């Protein structure tokens, strides 16, 4: 069995920010900055977790989970995050979309060891 698992936010309601992006060619420092942003987000009040995946075609989906909209706004307005977003537009993304949703129901599954 692997330690790899989806984020485990608390019982709903909470919020999900879905960031879907298409990357430009090359890493250009993206991987290091993305890891830095996850570490920084995890320190923010209201942060509940994150799930992220990127295909070999460059399409990526990152979902961050937050306690409330105030926490989401505070992260959006965080200085280091704002600088990184600007750099993303200039260097790392061909396109992206952001969707903010209130999670009202959630469930999960985990296979038990045999």
């Amino acid at each position: 069995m692997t330690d790899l698992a989806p984020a485990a936010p608390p019982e709903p309601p909470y919020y999900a920010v879905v960031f879907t992006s298409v990357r430009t060619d090359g890493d250009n420092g993206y991987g290091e900055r993305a890891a830095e942003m996850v570490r920084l987000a995890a320190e923010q009040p209201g942060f509940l977790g994150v799930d992220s995946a990127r295909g070999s075609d460059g399409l990526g989906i990152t979902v961050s989970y937050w306690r409330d909209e105030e926490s989401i706004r505070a992260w959006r307005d965080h200085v280091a995050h704002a600088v990184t977003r600007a750099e993303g537009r200039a260097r790392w993304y061909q396109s992206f979309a952001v969707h903010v949703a209130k999670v009202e129901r959630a469930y999960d599954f985990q296979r038990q060891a045999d």
Side-chain angles (χ1 to χ4, degrees):
M1 188 113 80
T2 178
D3 290 337
L4 185 62
E11 287 297 311
Y14 54 87
Y15 287 80
V17 177
V18 182
F19 179 76
T20 305
S21 64
V22 176
R23 288 276 315 280
T24 55
D25 290 333
D27 183 78
N28 303 311
Y30 177 86
E32 185 177 327
R33 184 69 64 86
E36 180 183 329
M37 287 298 102
V38 170
R39 284 190 301 273
L40 185 59
E43 296 173 359
Q44 304 311 302
F47 177 82
L48 302 173
V50 64
D51 291 315
S52 189
R54 183 164 301 279
S56 60
D57 60 357
L59 179 70
I61 300 173
T62 298
V63 182
S64 58
Y65 305 99
W66 300 87
R67 178 183 58 234
D68 51 34
E69 290 188 88
E70 179 181 331
S71 301
I72 295 167
R73 281 191 294 277
W75 174 237
R76 180 198 63 205
D77 296 341
H78 189 284
V79 173
H81 186 216
V83 168
T84 297
R85 285 197 323 274
E87 194 166 0
R89 287 181 176 94
R91 298 176 59 189
W92 296 313
Y93 298 117
Q94 290 289 359
S95 61
F96 65 80
V98 178
H99 307 276
V100 179
K102 184 175 184 181
V103 177
E104 296 184 356
R105 282 186 310 280
Y107 61 92
D108 61 359
F109 166 82
Q110 187 168 351
R111 185 172 308 282
Q112 299 301 312
D114 293 332

